[in-house]
Amino acid sequence: MKPAPAHSADQAITVGATAVAVTEAVPASVEAKQATVISSRILAQIKKIHVRAGDSVRTGELLVELEKSDLEAKAQQAAEQVRGVSARLREARQSLDRITELYQRKLVARAELDRARANFDSLTAELAGARQAGEEAEAALAFSEIRAPIDGRVVDRFAEPGETASPGAKLLSLYNPLTLRVEAQVREQLALALELGQGLLVDIPSLNKTVDAVIEERVPAADPGSRSFLIKARVQYDKDMLPGMYARMLVPAGTEQQLLIPADRVVEVGQLNLLWVLENGQAYRRFVRVGKSLGDQVEVLAGLNPGEQVLPRQ
């Protein structure tokens, strides 16, 4: 190729290899550190559900009301039982006191005293049992109102009023949006170099955002199938970020040598890229393959070697 007229060497820049930190994009997902499933502890019909998916709730807020007429009746019955046994126990105490006094004056037999004491002890035990039953009835009544255990957001609603809630069957699911983090299976060669508290970047493609993250946990056992470790990194609160979103954890992967030149020295010709190289005082056109842009510089992947001189556009 015929060279262009000679250029002054002070217009050329000498290309050098630069060590640049590189990262490996690891598929990840957004998860909530604090999440819970709401279920009933008793078998009862659902009367009301006060929230739906997407609603925000506070700790202690009433979420679900269960039918409680039967529970209220049992609690009332238990309370009446306690009152009845308490009255009989007071009478037994008075009787025991009288018989004890008479026995001390040797006016009644020992057997009479023993019967009075046995009756008193029996009623004492019966009162304890009645009180225990009353506490259980009150606890069951309290279970008819299901309240939020954490501040958070409702993810999903699995039941509707009129249905029967069974013990352990899920009714709602909640998560705390302030505790979101990103979890990824990182290959062991990279994972073992990571440390707790280390910062890194996380890319959220659906939001077109790259956010800062801090490693807070590395599960101390590798997955034998993939030879990778589960890495969990905390991210700052973002109202648009939701559990289950796809993410890419940008894990540090050492450095690599890159050839960087000013982007304004590359000429685009259709889908090709070329630049002018100074050789023996002459400018020669050369086609190159470029990579990603880094600020006002661009990476040259092929067609240029370290030590060569690049001229401005012709």
Side-chain angles (χ1 to χ4, degrees), residues 289-312:
R289 182 160 58 92
V290 299
K292 57 190 175 183
S293 298
L294 301 172
D296 59 354
Q297 293 188 309
V298 65
E299 177 187 12
V300 179
L301 301 176
L304 192 65
N305 297 313
E308 293 189 297
Q309 294 183 306
V310 178
L311 292 166

Side-chain angles (χ1 to χ4, degrees), residues 36-49 63-68 71 139-147 149 158-160 163-173:
T36 184
V37 173
I38 304 298
S39 61
S40 173
R41 298 181 65 174
I42 59 175
L43 179 66
Q45 187 180 49
I46 300 173
K47 186 177 180 181
K48 290 182 181 179
I49 300 180
L63 303 179
V64 181
E65 291 184 59
L66 303 178
E67 178 58 44
K68 58 182 179 180
L71 299 175
L141 182 59
F143 293 154
S144 66
E145 293 185 348
I146 303 176
R147 299 182 179 273
F158 304 102
E160 295 296 333
E163 297 179 7
T164 298
S166 301
K170 58 185 180 180
L171 304 176
L172 301 166
S173 60

Side-chain angles (χ1 to χ4, degrees), residues 126-187:
E126 186 176 344
L127 179 61
R131 286 174 174 169
Q132 180 66 32
E135 292 175 358
E136 292 176 357
E138 290 294 336
L141 182 59
F143 293 154
S144 66
E145 293 185 348
I146 303 176
R147 299 182 179 273
I150 60 173
D151 292 343
R153 192 176 184 185
V154 180
V155 178
D156 205 353
R157 171 170 162 167
F158 304 102
E160 295 296 333
E163 297 179 7
T164 298
S166 301
K170 58 185 180 180
L171 304 176
L172 301 166
S173 60
L174 307 177
Y175 79 95
N176 187 342
L178 300 180
T179 64
L180 291 181
R181 62 185 180 186
V182 175
E183 300 181 4
Q185 290 285 350
V186 180
R187 59 187 177 93

